[in-house]
Amino acid sequence: SRSSAASDVYKRQPLVYLLFVCFFPQLIAGPIVHHRQVVPQFHRIGQRYEQRLLAPAGALIVLGLAKKVLVADNLALLATPGYTSEAIGQLAALDAWVCMLAYTLQLYFDYSGYCDIALGLALLFGIRLPVNFLSPLKAGNIIEFWRRWHMTLSGFLRDYVYIPLGGNRKGRTRRGLNLMITMLVGGLWHGAGWNFVLWGGLHGFFLLINHGFHRVFPAGRGAVRASLGRVITFLAVAVAFVYFRAPSLEVGNHLLAALPGDLSGGFSSYYLGQIDSSFQFELLGLATDALGAAAFTLLLLLLALGVAQLAPNALEIVNSEKVGFEGVLPASRLHFSPNLWWSLFLAMTLWLVVLSLTRVSPFLYFQF
């Protein structure tokens, strides 16, 4: 009867809400999920579970682990020496550039890997979480960057901060003020520190410049403009991330002050000593002296930068199996398929990940 059906819904609703709250408790790390995005999926699971999702879900998890363990954690060894109080006054220009770029790429692969794992784990249960990370370092401007980086946080700030403040409905001056307030709130979202406030303020400033540039020079096509926009955006993001990572404004200021120096001077003895003691090459059989560490440093940095800028992301690759993210992701020439070759590749990758699990290294967003 209708009354019994209503009673059944009433009894089940608290359990559904509890499942929604417990399904993905890491709010800051994301994806920040609205109940309307997943609760209807909970009801559909009991009706039909898609076993074909197991293979792409497993691929996402393995690729995400590889990004975190094999790439991000090694990039951390390159970045960390520049973000300590001992580094003040010690860094050469090349040290500063490597530390800045290494942390930008570390955070990129760490968070990208985390998002892949999160979506893969949800997909194991037949749940499709919203896409939260879409190759942001390929963005051609800072506006596009925020449409690709922590996309659910961007949507949250837009819906609950920017629009309630008036959005762009009250003129350009008010829009600029609303953007700046929104980005400052976004900085405080990550932590109550002046470094996060400054990071948010810098991105607010970048957005204001970006909007002003588009007003004076309307968007146009062209390979030169697109490439230049990508380079400028990447450097702006990297500079802002210096304060995101630095334990104090003083450390961040000294690292940025070292950037304009002479790159031909090479690495400083301080930085060579730090990375020489950090890297261990027993597994690969490579040299562990300072020269070998420096060469490996530059090689790893260039490879990571090339992958971030040119390669398709894991979601684009796995989505070739029509797992439910169509319309959000661009097409990729590299397609995942549950065949022998992909199985061997993923098994080898997982083996390398397991061999590399020699230290505790939490996801960066879990630290905020």
Side-chain angles (χ1 to χ4, degrees):
S1 66
R2 181 176 299 179
S3 60
S4 63
S7 175
D8 185 58
V9 171
Y10 176 79
K11 292 177 180 178
R12 290 175 181 271
Q13 204 62 39
L15 292 178
V16 172
Y17 178 75
L18 183 63
L19 176 59
F20 164 70
V21 172
C22 297
F23 188 76
F24 212 79
Q26 277 290 346
L27 179 62
I28 292 180
I32 302 172
V33 180
H34 195 278
H35 66 84
R36 66 171 176 266
Q37 295 173 304
V38 294
V39 169
Q41 298 187 63
F42 293 156
H43 295 294
R44 289 196 293 268
I45 292 176
Q47 302 170 4
R48 180 190 176 192
Y49 178 74
E50 302 175 85
Q51 292 185 354
R52 67 181 184 84
L53 297 179
L54 292 177
L60 270 179
I61 294 171
V62 172
L63 293 174
L65 285 170
K67 290 180 182 180
K68 163 63 178 172
V69 177
L70 301 181
V71 183
D73 288 354
N74 281 316
L75 288 171
L77 301 178
L78 307 183
T80 300
Y83 290 98
T84 63
S85 58
E86 291 79 10
I88 295 177
Q90 300 286 337
L91 296 179
L94 187 58
D95 305 340
W97 276 99
V98 168
C99 290
M100 181 182 74
L101 297 179
Y103 179 70
T104 300
L105 292 167
Q106 177 201 353
L107 185 58
Y108 172 87
F109 281 101
D110 188 283
Y111 194 38
S112 175
Y114 162 79
C115 290
D116 291 342
I117 295 171
L119 267 65
L121 289 173
L123 209 58
L124 287 176
F125 297 93
I127 300 296
R128 295 168 177 85
L129 294 179
V131 176
N132 198 41
F133 197 89
L134 193 58
S135 300
L137 295 186
K138 296 178 182 178
N141 56 65
I142 205 70
I143 297 173
E144 183 185 355
F145 173 83
W146 277 103
R147 291 171 180 166
R148 292 170 171 259
W149 176 277
H150 208 335
M151 297 158 67
T152 55
L153 174 61
S154 298
F156 176 87
L157 293 174
R158 179 197 63 222
D159 295 341
Y160 294 98
V161 180
Y162 180 68
I163 292 178
L165 286 173
N168 58 1
R169 302 188 303 271
K170 298 183 179 181
R172 292 174 181 172
T173 301
R174 182 61 182 273
R175 181 187 67 177
L177 179 61
N178 293 341
L179 274 175
M180 183 60 72
I181 294 174
T182 301
M183 296 313 300
L184 289 173
V185 171
L188 288 171
W189 171 276
H190 295 87
W194 286 113
N195 54 326
F196 295 115
V197 173
L198 182 55
W199 173 77
L202 283 172
H203 273 278
F205 179 66
F206 296 156
L207 286 169
L208 294 180
I209 294 177
N210 201 171
H211 281 290
F213 182 83
H214 283 174
R215 189 166 59 249
V216 177
F217 304 99
R221 298 181 178 180
V224 174
R225 176 168 177 166
S227 300
L228 186 60
R230 182 179 287 194
V231 171
I232 293 174
T233 302
F234 176 76
L235 290 176
V237 168
V239 167
F241 273 143
V242 168
Y243 290 108
F244 194 85
R245 171 63 177 85
S248 67
L249 296 182
E250 183 183 15
V251 171
N253 290 336
H254 277 82
L255 191 149
L256 291 178
L259 294 177
D262 184 11
L263 291 174
S264 64
F267 291 108
S268 67
S269 57
Y270 162 80
Y271 187 74
L272 284 176
Q274 292 293 317
I275 60 174
D276 185 29
S277 61
S278 297
F279 277 105
Q280 297 179 0
F281 302 123
E282 289 87 350
L283 177 63
L284 299 178
L286 299 177
T288 57
D289 59 5
L291 182 60
F296 186 79
T297 294
L298 295 177
L299 178 61
L300 179 61
L301 195 63
L302 290 175
L303 286 174
L305 184 60
V307 170
Q309 289 288 339
L310 302 175
N313 61 52
L315 265 182
E316 293 170 356
I317 295 171
V318 171
N319 201 47
S320 60
E321 286 296 293
K322 308 296 181 184
V323 296
F325 299 109
E326 293 79 11
V328 180
L329 303 171
S332 170
R333 295 181 179 179
L334 182 59
H335 300 299
F336 166 78
S337 180
N339 55 34
L340 176 62
W341 297 111
W342 268 105
S343 299
L344 290 174
F345 170 75
L346 293 174
M348 180 65 69
T349 302
L350 184 60
W351 178 69
L352 290 174
V353 167
V354 172
L355 289 180
S356 301
L357 293 175
T358 57
R359 61 184 182 275
V360 177
S361 180
F363 287 104
L364 293 178
Y365 259 76
F366 284 16
Q367 302 172 19
F368 302 128

